[in-house]
Amino acid sequence: MDQAERKELKKSGDAMHVIASLIVRFRSVIFIIFALACVYCLLSLDRVKVNSDFAIFLPEDFEARRGLAVMNEEFTSFASASVMVSNVTWDMARAMAEDIAALDHVTGVSFDDTEAHFVHSSALFSISFDGGGRDPGVVAAMEAVRERLAPYDHYISTEVGSDYNGQLAREMGGVFAIALAVILAVLLFTSRSYFEVVIFGVVFAVAALLNMGTNFWLGEISSITNAIAVIMQLALAIDYAIIFSHLYQDAAADRSSEREALIEALARSIVEISSSSLTTVAGLMALTLMEFRLGRDLGLVLAKGILCSMLTVFLLMPGLIQIFPRALRRTAHRKLIPDIRGWGRFLVRSRVLFAVLFILALPFAIHFSGKAEFAFADGSITELVHEEGREALHKINSTFAPSTGVAILVPAGDFEKEKTVLREAEALPEIKSALGLASIPIDDRYTLTDDFTPRMLAELLDLDLEQSQLLFRAYGLEHQEYQALLSPSEYEVPLIDLFLYLFEKLDQGLFSLEEEQLERFETLRGELERAVAQLRGRNWDRLVFTSTLPAEGEESVNLAETLRGIAERQYGPGQILVVGEITNARDLRTSYEGDSRLISLLTILFVFLILLFTFRSVVAAVLLVFVIQGSIWLNFSLSYLAGICSSFVTHMIVSAIQMGATIDYAIVTMSRYQANKKEHPPKEAMVLAVNESFPTVLTSGSILSMAGLLIAFRVSDVYVSHIGLTVGRGALISIILVLTVLPQLILLFDKAIDKTRFRLPAEQGGETP
């Protein structure tokens, strides 16, 4: 460090100027660090795991989460499809079913002449496949089904061949491209130099890469977080770069040295931007306290994004400005944002007009927002963007009785108990079908889990009795069941276990069958192995039921509890798990009811405390929180009035984001008013404050609103689109209230704001802020 730099540091005095001087001096080292970090994050993008199943984010002790873990570990789920063909006769539909059933990788087509499959010239086929939804053979079979049905009016609901995360990424890519174009136009309009927009782009691209590339540190993130994180980071943090750039240009106009101007601007920016980010981070950190871990997931990723944005502005952007100072000066342009002091004067002259309208509207907003409906299952959420698969499912459910799957996981091995549970459950009027190993028929007399003697097996499979006895003795010896030797004719084994043992010995060449018998066994083997993979685990067996009730509703929850009671009568309380859409929705609702109140209160508390110590006035803090909370009530009341049913995720997440992010608009207005009031009367100070805060409010608010609304009407995922709609609409409402209601409320309570001011102990000897 040379003598001039030491002199500069000594002159600067405070810590912020020292830090700013060091950042400016070591720009080359900082560039190298950022370059290495970008390479690391670029290579880490593929390591980020994305999960689209909400149940995985429930607390570990919730039944839906526990059941999902068991099913993922112990069972295999094969792909299926529901296909409806309209305007066909029964004979045409039967021929189609036979044609589809003959396709490779199709293991079955459920179709008959009951109302469950044929109503008013519409046929419903339930197609089963022999692999997962992404298996090439299954995908090819599904394409063959589409080709055969192409001449007909048909609707297909299936996950075969679908790439949810890929489709969401493509849609968000399109949103991001449009958003960038709109944001570019906004920045060019609100900028002071055209080249600063280029610097903003570089800074944000680096910040976004750092955030995305470090997401794998969290283990896995939700598909919602992965989809909206980048564009939300841009909308929430772009004003950090704008603040620094404008402070630099103001400082450069007053100083002959570009270095001094940069240090001064950076020192001021560190304080101003850090303070501005506190409310946003507070709202996001409130999300991390949710019991439902999706909030923690989104809160951490967006808070990390805010941190990455701040570090990039503080560390990287000064170096970029040092490289391109001439480009910034040469592309400087006149102010494009209009002067709105006339609007400020109108607000002052109209006194309490907007404030009164706001107060009058607030009770209705609170009432209607409280009546807004939130869904806990995909099918109940209002669709904002057309999606073919969802439309097909709605069409099928409106033509045929809706079907909802419920599974009961029971301790493995007791087939008699399973048979009793299946029989009692199937007798319920709400149950369309019941499936378990104990309900799969072998012929008119037996099921797959019945106990067989050697003679019974010989008669069933047309084997020699000696051959059958040999098989039973081998099975008994291997399983240390010596009754097979002592009383072979009375020794019984479940048929399913005999079949699996026989298949194993055939593969090992230790047992042989005639060619005709072997061919029959191979056909049976495929069906049996698929059934076992889906219904039998190491520690649990799965019983699957199809209900005529929707996933949500009191009747559906009662049905789940009825099924639980039937199973617990056989296995005992707490020994079984009820899993499926109904229990998922129930557990999500339970989690939401606690989380929604907690997050709302914590967000308001965190933001209030920050405002309290920012403005040192109780009334000032209350006013700002009151206005933004009012915008939240208005926002959700519009959902109710429009008849929109949003996801529960929308309410929890948007409440925190809207309070944490848009409160900044109110802070800017209050800060400008307090600064101007030192030199002007209150009314004139407010006119100036509205005019001075307008560029910041317009830039940040329009970007957040535009980004949200683009997501809402360009993304087919109902969860992501509703978050976008509510964030965008909420930002727009907040802008309107900050530019109309807040100035009048501040003037109305000006004396109360001053009377409730306080000083911190460290400030007792100084002036009131």
Side-chain angles (χ1 to χ4, degrees), residues 450-759:
D450 287 342
D451 289 336
F452 267 58
T453 63
R455 183 173 296 280
M456 292 169 65
L457 183 68
E459 292 176 354
L460 177 69
L461 301 180
D462 195 22
L463 297 175
D464 291 336
L465 181 59
E466 292 182 1
Q467 201 176 18
S468 179
Q469 290 173 338
L470 176 63
L471 177 65
F472 271 71
R473 283 197 294 270
Y475 179 93
L477 286 171
E478 191 164 318
H479 291 81
Q480 298 182 352
E481 297 175 357
Y482 300 110
Q483 185 185 2
L485 300 178
L486 300 175
S487 304
S489 61
E490 299 177 2
Y491 179 51
E492 294 182 338
V493 179
L495 184 59
I496 182 174
D497 292 335
L498 284 172
F499 278 152
L500 294 176
Y501 182 74
L502 176 58
F503 297 150
E504 178 185 344
K505 297 310 169 185
L506 286 172
D507 290 341
Q508 294 173 355
L510 300 179
F511 199 86
S512 60
L513 295 172
E514 296 180 3
E515 185 175 345
E516 184 178 339
Q517 292 174 324
L518 188 61
E519 186 176 329
R520 181 183 176 189
F521 263 84
E522 287 302 317
T523 302
L524 178 64
R525 179 174 187 170
E527 297 175 0
L528 178 60
E529 288 181 343
R530 284 191 294 274
V532 169
Q534 294 180 86
L535 303 173
R536 189 178 195 181
R538 292 188 303 276
N539 305 301
W540 300 83
D541 284 349
R542 179 162 62 172
L543 312 179
V544 181
F545 305 93
T546 303
S547 161
T548 58
L549 298 177
E552 293 189 69
E554 186 176 348
E555 283 186 290
S556 302
V557 174
N558 290 339
L559 173 63
E561 292 308 307
T562 300
L563 292 173
R564 181 192 308 281
I566 291 172
E568 287 186 342
R569 282 199 296 272
Q570 300 299 319
Y571 293 93
Q575 299 303 305
I576 59 97
L577 295 172
V578 182
V579 189
E581 294 178 80
I582 294 174
T583 53
N584 284 357
R586 180 205 62 197
D587 285 357
L588 289 171
R589 181 181 290 276
T590 301
S591 176
Y592 162 80
E593 288 172 350
D595 281 340
S596 63
R597 290 188 292 269
L598 174 68
I599 300 310
S600 295
L601 290 174
L602 287 179
T603 303
I604 291 173
L605 177 62
F606 291 165
V607 171
F608 174 78
L609 290 175
I610 292 170
L611 295 176
L612 187 63
F613 289 98
T614 298
F615 295 110
R616 312 286 201 275
S617 170
V618 175
V619 172
V622 170
L623 274 182
L624 268 58
V625 170
F626 174 66
V627 170
I628 299 303
Q629 182 59 45
S631 74
I632 294 173
W633 284 323
L634 286 168
N635 191 9
F636 286 107
S637 68
L638 291 178
S639 293
Y640 170 76
L641 293 173
I644 294 174
C645 183
S646 303
S647 161
F648 72 101
V649 174
T650 303
H651 184 255
M652 291 191 296
I653 290 175
V654 173
S655 295
I657 291 179
Q658 187 174 344
M659 174 60 76
T662 64
I663 194 75
D664 284 352
Y665 313 158
I667 291 173
V668 170
T669 302
M670 177 66 85
S671 299
R672 297 291 189 270
Y673 172 70
Q674 289 190 338
N676 287 320
K677 204 171 75 161
K678 295 176 181 178
E679 300 177 1
H680 303 279
K683 291 182 179 180
E684 187 177 343
M686 182 54 71
V687 171
L688 294 173
V690 171
N691 187 59
E692 291 170 3
S693 63
F694 178 64
T696 302
V697 174
L698 176 66
T699 303
S700 300
S702 62
I703 288 175
L704 182 58
S705 181
M706 175 276 307
L709 294 176
L710 273 175
I711 290 173
F713 298 108
R714 300 283 300 183
V715 176
S716 61
D717 179 88
V718 288
Y719 295 97
V720 175
S721 63
H722 275 277
I723 290 174
L725 173 65
T726 318
V727 166
R729 189 177 60 200
L732 186 59
I733 294 171
S734 296
I735 293 172
I736 294 171
L737 294 185
V738 167
L739 293 176
T740 56
V741 175
L742 182 62
Q744 294 188 338
L745 286 177
I746 292 174
L747 287 175
L748 184 63
F749 291 94
D750 185 58
K751 291 182 180 179
I753 291 172
D754 289 337
K755 286 182 179 180
T756 56
R757 287 191 183 280
F758 62 89
R759 287 182 291 181

Side-chain angles (χ1 to χ4, degrees), residues 377-388:
D378 296 9
S380 304
I381 303 173
T382 302
E383 186 179 33
L384 299 178
V385 178
H386 169 77
E387 200 274 321
E388 183 179 348

Side-chain angles (χ1 to χ4, degrees), residues 51-59 65 218 220-228 284 286-302 588 591 595 599 647-650 652-653 717 719-720 723:
N51 197 316
S52 57
D53 191 338
F54 278 2
I56 202 69
F57 294 100
L58 284 167
R65 171 74 184 276
L218 303 178
E220 68 177 1
I221 62 174
S222 72
S223 55
I224 289 178
T225 301
N226 189 58
I228 69 174
L284 296 174
L287 288 175
T288 66
L289 301 177
M290 286 171 58
E291 190 176 36
F292 185 45
R293 289 195 305 110
L294 179 61
R296 173 182 174 273
D297 177 70
L298 184 62
L300 285 178
V301 170
L302 289 182
L588 289 171
S591 176
D595 281 340
I599 300 310
S647 161
F648 72 101
V649 174
T650 303
M652 291 191 296
I653 290 175
D717 179 88
Y719 295 97
V720 175
I723 290 174

Side-chain angles (χ1 to χ4, degrees), residues 112 115 135 162 206 229 266 278 525 552 560 567 575 604 719:
D112 54 38
E115 290 188 356
D135 289 358
S162 66
V206 172
L266 183 55
L278 280 178
R525 179 174 187 170
E552 293 189 69
Q575 299 303 305
I604 291 173
Y719 295 97

